[in-house]
Amino acid sequence: MSGSADQRARANAFTVDVEEWFHMCGVGGELAPARWDALPSRVAETTRSLLGELDDAGIRATFFVLGWVADRYPALVQEIAQAGHEVGSHGYSHRRAYEIGPAGFADDLRRSVASLRAAGVPNVATFRAPEWSINDRSLWALDVLAAEGFTADASMAPLRIVGSVDYPRHPHVRQTAAGSILELPPFVTDRFGHVMPIGWGWGLRMSSPARVLRTIESANRAGIPAVLTVHPWEIDQDPPRVALPPRLRFAHYFRLGGFRERLRRVLRGAEFGALSDLAACH
Ligand SMILES: [Zn+2]
């Protein structure tokens, strides 16, 4: 990619949550935050691999960078920005919004913005919460985001457990105590009588590229943009493995094999841009 921002509206968006393989919510023991600096770091290498894939495919994306990562790898943040990608915040310490409460969330958010600024990104206006954790338990987080000057959020998953199947699947404006904010939900589809995250996580990893692309096409025909999300650790050729509870084991390890090649075919089969390139943002 040339690095010159082509701001033409795109049908779909590609996003990356820039975090380490050990940034999981709700785990302690050997993956407890106090141990993070002692664990093998993979984020710089795997994020650079993703940058290469996006460059090869000519795609500008949105990178939600964790403040913890920005503090340790400011040059990586610079590489992302200089490649023409949009940089958003994924919070600082990768904690769920509803666990840290409004004051804790505001502190964590401000700290992440300060880290991104120190890494050379002066304006951060888009947010994604760890583990899609803006839901009915934490709608106040949208007020905090708007009050802090954020104009878009991509945290509300139309999926049970992490969000709600009742949440809209299309970009929509939400009113908050501090003004409106644009909500950009991650891509889901209906499959086997359930809502499935075909645009991220195990849903994206288990689906064939052809199926993902067909689902994107039919959503686009209905006027819905697909917002896809990956993590750098999902394309790690040699991911560190640890014992995890079943739900996290599934979320983190299910069908990683061959994912990078499948992702490559998805990237080449549909039109993607950054979140701010979506028609809803123009
Ligand atoms: Zn995350």
Side-chain angles (χ1 to χ4, degrees):
M1 195 164 52
S2 67
S4 64
D6 173 1
Q7 292 285 337
R8 175 169 72 88
R10 306 281 164 160
N12 306 293
F14 193 80
T15 71
V16 180
D17 292 353
V18 181
E19 62 191 39
E20 295 276 13
W21 62 275
F22 48 78
H23 287 136
M24 304 177 196
C25 295
V27 290
E30 62 178 318
L31 300 187
R35 294 210 66 244
W36 286 353
D37 274 314
L39 294 166
S41 174
R42 307 281 300 146
V43 71
E45 180 183 333
T46 49
T47 300
R48 287 191 179 109
S49 292
L50 264 179
L51 285 169
E53 294 291 342
L54 292 169
D55 188 33
D56 289 348
I59 291 172
R60 183 175 114 93
T62 297
F63 283 68
F64 293 103
V65 181
L66 197 66
W68 189 94
V69 171
D71 273 359
R72 284 154 184 82
Y73 299 98
L76 182 67
V77 178
Q78 271 302 302
E79 283 171 52
I80 294 167
Q82 280 165 13
H85 300 295
E86 177 175 48
V87 176
S89 166
H90 193 38
Y92 188 89
S93 54
H94 211 265
R95 297 193 58 197
R96 299 178 184 117
Y98 51 81
E99 285 179 348
I100 52 181
F105 179 78
D107 285 349
D108 189 84
L109 181 68
R110 287 186 198 124
R111 198 175 168 202
S112 81
V113 169
S115 295
L116 290 171
R117 239 178 233 152
V121 181
N123 298 309
V124 182
T126 305
F127 179 77
R128 171 169 294 141
E131 210 183 90
W132 315 104
S133 59
I134 299 182
N135 55 32
D136 290 350
R137 287 186 277 180
S138 49
L139 288 174
W140 43 257
L142 297 176
D143 302 53
V144 175
L145 285 166
E148 295 293 321
F150 281 73
T151 56
D153 173 70
S155 307
M156 296 186 70
L159 188 72
R160 58 188 275 276
I161 301 178
V162 289
S164 167
V165 292
D166 296 329
Y167 293 163
R169 296 183 180 187
H170 49 82
H172 58 285
V173 173
R174 287 190 169 249
Q175 300 305 328
T176 82
S180 61
I181 191 164
L182 186 61
E183 181 61 39
L184 302 159
F187 189 44
V188 298
T189 193
D190 298 298
R191 193 106 201 273
F192 310 123
H194 293 278
V195 182
M196 170 191 176
I198 197 166
W200 84 92
W202 60 266
L204 178 59
R205 297 201 302 267
M206 78 173 280
S207 304
S208 71
R211 178 175 295 281
V212 174
L213 291 168
R214 275 201 309 275
T215 311
I216 290 173
E217 270 172 38
S218 72
N220 289 170
R221 276 197 302 275
I224 298 174
V227 174
L228 267 56
T229 298
V230 301
H231 301 86
W233 48 261
E234 290 179 282
I235 62 154
D236 197 335
Q237 303 297 298
D238 185 23
R241 295 220 168 221
V242 288
L244 294 172
R247 187 180 72 85
L248 279 171
R249 189 163 63 228
F250 187 65
H252 279 260
Y253 294 142
F254 178 71
R255 208 162 179 238
L256 290 174
F259 178 59
R260 185 173 178 156
E261 288 68 35
R262 294 195 295 281
L263 179 64
R264 197 174 285 159
R265 286 169 56 200
V266 171
L267 291 176
R268 279 161 177 70
E271 184 192 66
F272 295 101
L275 285 171
S276 62
D277 301 331
L278 288 174
C281 299
H282 285 251

